[in-house]
Amino acid sequence: MNVLILAAGLGTRLRPLTSDVPKPLVPVVDASILEQQAVKANGIGNVRLHANAHYLAEQVVAEGKRLGFEKVWVEPEILGTAGPLKRIYNEGYRGGLLIMNGDAYCSFDLKAFVENAKRTFASAQDGSAPGVALLAVDFPKVNTFRVNKDGRLVGIAGRFGSEEGAAATFSGVSYYSDEALARIADGEFDIREFWKQEIAAGRPPFVDMSQMNATWIDMGSPEGLMAACRARLDELGVDSWTDERVAVTRDSIVFAGATVGEGETVENEIRGKGFSWKI
């Protein structure tokens, strides 16, 4: 199975921290999200790791090489989500494709998700078998998914389809069969348009709601980065962490290059070279 970690974003919400380092490589305590996602993906077993890159792509390429990625796909222009998926398929990679985000700290059981997706694909009636599985979380501020009683996507609030059904948020984690990847049109950028087409064709994506209460944090904002670091400290079972890149406590993050006065205590703040964010 192939795994694609989406890592091409511009990281604008974390500027100027991301002026010199792409968002997926920002340390979240002891390791970047890219590295943490790679470790989780490798835990499934027998996977080939891929990432896409655009902003400061050379850094992502170098890190992918260090982490043993099959390939980092450099995009001269951002291709949305659908573009990178079809690109991997067109290059001949087969065996299914798991998608993960390079800006989400999470505690999902990825192996269980993929196994559940495959069982659902196999058990569906001919002609209605989905080739797409979407992992959902409960995040009331963004619960735009609408899911019917059979666990199928029927709409996205404010965008298309039914407004009825159980509400959920897309976690960014998804799984595509080879057959589904073949149906993505060349030049398609917006993956939501593909889901809409699959619904219209009688193959609505399966929405896995079995991990709705798992940890899921968007670390792409200062507040999200702080929350992700706290969660990582909990995962490591420590109250603080210091290395050459960053010093983290439960209420502060100080990156290398930050100015800290003699005897000063940094609290409720993220501080780096030339910036300070109160949290």
Side-chain angles (χ1 to χ4, degrees):
M1 184 179 73
N2 296 284
V3 178
L4 172 63
I5 302 175
L6 300 174
L10 301 177
T12 53
R13 291 177 296 164
L14 287 177
R15 298 281 173 87
L17 175 60
T18 51
S19 295
D20 300 315
V21 60
K23 179 173 57 177
L25 300 190
V26 170
V28 177
V29 185
D30 61 319
S32 69
I33 289 293
L34 185 70
E35 181 172 356
Q36 292 182 40
Q37 298 287 54
V39 169
K40 288 179 170 63
N42 279 322
I44 300 172
N46 193 28
V47 299
R48 294 180 294 271
L49 295 176
H50 303 255
N52 68 334
H54 172 72
Y55 176 66
L56 299 176
E58 68 283 355
Q59 294 186 38
V60 181
V61 170
E63 184 67 357
K65 184 177 296 186
R66 185 184 76 84
L67 295 172
F69 277 51
E70 174 89 4
K71 186 171 182 177
V72 174
W73 303 78
V74 177
E75 299 176 1
E77 59 179 326
I78 294 179
L79 301 176
T81 298
L85 272 62
K86 192 57 183 282
R87 185 179 183 184
I88 287 176
Y89 179 83
N90 285 344
E91 288 294 323
Y93 288 95
R94 299 293 185 269
L97 181 62
L98 176 69
I99 309 300
M100 304 172 70
N101 274 351
D103 61 1
Y105 180 91
C106 54
S107 63
F108 300 127
D109 185 335
L110 297 174
K111 186 173 183 178
F113 166 63
V114 172
E115 290 175 348
N116 200 16
K118 290 180 176 179
R119 281 195 300 269
T120 302
F121 295 176
S123 65
Q125 297 295 320
D126 289 345
S128 68
V132 180
L134 309 170
L135 187 58
V137 293
D138 182 23
F139 193 60
K141 290 173 61 178
V142 194
N143 275 348
T144 56
F145 267 20
R146 296 295 180 262
V147 185
N148 68 15
K149 60 182 178 59
D150 297 320
R152 300 294 192 93
L153 182 70
V154 294
I156 299 178
R159 187 174 177 92
F160 65 79
S162 175
E163 293 286 341
E164 302 296 325
T169 291
F170 179 43
S171 70
V173 176
S174 53
Y175 177 77
Y176 292 77
S177 69
D178 292 339
E179 293 78 12
L181 293 171
R183 293 193 293 267
I184 298 175
D186 290 330
E188 181 71 77
F189 280 25
D190 190 340
I191 198 64
R192 294 169 297 183
E193 286 301 308
F194 176 64
W195 301 343
K196 180 180 178 180
Q197 294 164 23
E198 290 291 279
I199 292 172
R203 298 182 297 265
F206 164 60
V207 181
D208 187 338
M209 301 176 72
S210 66
Q211 301 187 50
M212 291 279 279
N213 295 319
T215 300
W216 177 76
I217 301 168
D218 173 5
M219 54 71 65
S221 68
E223 294 78 13
L225 177 59
M226 188 73 250
C229 283
R230 287 174 182 147
R232 183 61 175 171
L233 290 174
D234 288 340
E235 185 177 354
L236 295 172
V238 298
D239 289 323
S240 62
W241 177 274
T242 301
D243 61 24
E244 69 278 1
R245 299 178 300 172
V246 66
V248 182
T249 68
R250 294 195 174 275
D251 63 6
S252 68
I253 306 172
V254 179
F255 289 98
T259 299
V260 180
E262 184 176 353
E264 180 185 6
T265 300
V266 179
E267 295 180 331
N268 303 314
E269 185 179 344
I270 299 176
R271 191 180 298 187
K273 184 178 180 181
F275 72 90
S276 172
W277 298 322
K278 291 294 183 181
I279 301 296

